Amino acid sequence: MDVRVGDVLTMKKQHPCGENRFLVLRSGMDFKIRCMGCGREVMVPRVKAEKNIKKISREEEHQ
C-alpha cells in the first residue's frame, strides 16, 4: 500500500475523541499518525494500520 508523509488516512475505527481521520507524519515499518480531531500523535505498526485504512486522501503536487 502506497502511504506517504502528508497523506490523510480515513480509518474504519474512530479515535476515542470521535475523529476517524489521521495525518501521516512518518512512514516506514511503523506509521506515526496525528489525529485530526485532538492532535494526539500515535505510533502504529504498518500491518495493523493498513488493515484499518478505509481511504487515503492526498493533495496532488502540481509542478
Side-chain angles (χ1 to χ4, degrees):
M1 191 174 284
D2 184 31
V3 178
R4 303 178 195 160
V5 175
D7 290 353
V8 176
L9 306 177
T10 303
M11 305 298 246
K12 294 177 184 174
K13 295 186 179 180
Q14 293 182 347
H15 189 252
C17 73
E19 184 65 57
N20 67 342
R21 295 182 317 124
F22 295 85
L23 176 67
V24 177
L25 303 174
R26 180 178 174 274
S27 167
M29 284 302 294
D30 297 320
F31 289 138
K32 185 171 187 177
I33 55 178
R34 177 184 295 144
C35 177
M36 301 287 278
C38 64
R40 172 114 9 177
E41 294 181 4
V42 184
M43 292 287 287
V44 183
R46 183 179 200 100
V47 176
K48 186 173 181 182
E50 285 182 348
K51 287 181 184 177
N52 280 324
I53 293 173
K54 187 190 301 184
K55 179 180 156 191
I56 300 173
S57 303
R58 168 177 302 143
E59 289 185 19
E60 297 297 327
E61 296 179 17
H62 300 285
Q63 293 182 353

